Amino acid sequence: MKKISITLIALMVLLFSSCSTRKFIIEGTPGTVITKGNGKQLGIIGSNGQTKVKLGYDFRYDQGFVPYLLSRHPDNPKEAVPFALDFKTERYVLKHLLWAPTIYGYEVVILSDGTMQKCYKYTTQTTNHDLVQPNSNAK
Amino acid sequence: MKYSYLLLLGGLLLASCTSNLLLKSVSYQSFRNANKNAVSNKVDIPQDAEIVVEPILSADGTLNVIVTNLTDSVMVIDRTKSFVNTGENSTTFYDPTVTTQTTSDTKGGTKGMTVNMGTVADAFGIGGVAGGLLGAVNLGGTKDNSQTTVNTTYIQDIPQVSLAPLGRSDMKRTFQINGMGNEFLDQLPDCNQIVDEPRNSYNRFSICIVYSLNNGATWDKITSLFYANSLIVCNVKERGKNNEALRYVLSNKPDYNKESWYRLYFNCTTRVDSETPTSFTVQDLFDYK
């Protein structure tokens, strides 16, 4: 009984700790600055055309869902172009409960149907500068 | 028994991570000044212009108007003859409705009560500004010495406002504009309306401001028409495929951020990161004369 209790508590701690920040890749033109909606800088795309940014997704703290980020192209740094963040979820059945928390980068929840589901994970994202006219003036 | 508690605790902990995470849709709206000869930047307003009118559109679909006096004279605005026309009806900035605000203050003992009511005779005779009256009418008596004082304030709208030279002021009345705001956008299916002419727009409103620069000796007016020139909504089709919806909006409106007034809105159904506003709005819509 004692061992079971300790195992469950350890499991809960692992589950809890898994609900923290996650890194994911953003691809774009080198030098592009990535910020949050309020302007807080998260990263700059490097010469390899990628940067890793860290975002939290945890409702227990002050970290809610991030629907989009902004990117500032080096040729036009005053113009912030939004790109929405894709995420994915994957399901596991209940038998995977014991090992699911050990998978880095996922969070685990139990659904009402009795199955398990990884929490949401932001996926590799590309900026939207290809869609925006840099020098147009529609006014 | 302890085992059951642990299971319950575990369930609660797990449930704390559960959420219906969804971005439901991405929406975009923009408005323009129908006067195509008007300049698009305030710094380009001609030196001899007298007045600037700015509509301020909010996320809940309301309109406020700000007027700027560009002259070195005192500008008087007649609110009884200045209007907002939303297409369905015209409404003056002056609101003839008289409203009241009543507050009460009780002092004294706790046994029984004596009430002093304020009289409000001739309250409606007060013109133009808010007035307050306080009176004393004894409605009853007990052995107690407590007193309740009722203060009634009558609030009446102001028919005219004065703007100092180079002054700027809100016209102090809010109008509801149909066809905009979060509530409106949340209910829309996918749509893509981009128009060039005001007559084709789904949403138009005009503002008429009557003003005088010589203390009412002569009156002039500015009438401005604004119209929605785009409305794009894309609902997220597949859970987690958020950027597809945003890319749909941007690809249909590549000059999205060059409009005088525009709003890009992310309709989220879950709690959003505190550092990420769910919409961003650019308010640079104005007209002048």
Side-chain angles (χ1 to χ4, degrees), chain A residues 19 59 61 68 85 120 130, chain B residues 17 19 239 242 247 271 277:
Chain A
C19 297
F59 294 151
Y61 304 109
Y68 68 92
L85 298 183
Y120 311 109
D130 57 314
Chain B
C17 288
S19 172
R239 186 180 174 89
N242 298 336
R247 285 183 71 81
R271 195 170 72 81

Side-chain angles (χ1 to χ4, degrees), chain A residues 33-95:
Chain A
V33 178
I34 308 299
T35 68
K36 276 193 171 182
N38 69 349
K40 181 181 175 183
Q41 185 171 321
L42 296 177
I44 300 175
I45 293 178
S47 55
N48 62 350
Q50 290 185 343
T51 187
K52 280 186 178 178
V53 301
K54 190 189 282 188
L55 284 181
Y57 187 68
D58 188 341
F59 294 151
R60 289 170 296 118
Y61 304 109
D62 192 18
Q63 297 172 333
F65 173 48
V66 179
Y68 68 92
L69 293 176
L70 300 174
S71 59
R72 295 177 185 273
H73 196 278
D75 293 342
N76 193 5
K78 288 185 177 177
E79 190 172 76
V81 177
F83 59 100
L85 298 183
D86 292 343
F87 61 85
K88 64 180 180 182
T89 57
E90 292 177 27
R91 284 186 164 205
Y92 286 100
V93 293
L94 198 56
K95 64 181 181 182

